[in-house]
Amino acid sequence: GDMTPEFLAEVCRRSADGEAVRDVIAEHGLPIMPTLRWLRDNHHAEIVAAKQEQLKKNKNGARKTNA
C-alpha cells in the first residue's frame, strides 16, 4: 500500500466514522509513525474537515431514523 489520494480519502472517511487513523494505516501495511506524521503535516485540515462534516450529518440525522 502507499499514500495515494484514494488512501487519503479512505482515512478521511473512516476517521470521520470514528475509526482510529492508525488502524486504517496498519490495514494498508504502511509504517504507522511516518504515515501519521505525513498525514498530520500535509492533510490535517482535510481529516478534521471530514470529521466535522460527519458530526454535522450525525446531528442533523439524529432526529429522523433511517429504517
Side-chain angles (χ1 to χ4, degrees), residues 12-55:
C12 287
R13 190 184 71 244
R14 291 173 60 181
S15 169
D17 284 340
E19 278 191 66
V21 173
R22 61 176 58 237
D23 290 347
V24 183
I25 296 169
E27 257 178 54
H28 282 263
L30 294 166
I32 305 276
M33 291 322 291
T35 307
L36 280 174
R37 203 171 302 127
W38 173 79
L39 289 167
R40 188 190 63 216
D41 292 349
N42 301 290
H43 300 290
H44 183 73
E46 289 150 88
I47 295 171
V48 169
K51 280 193 178 187
Q52 287 171 339
E53 194 54 43
Q54 186 69 26
L55 285 174

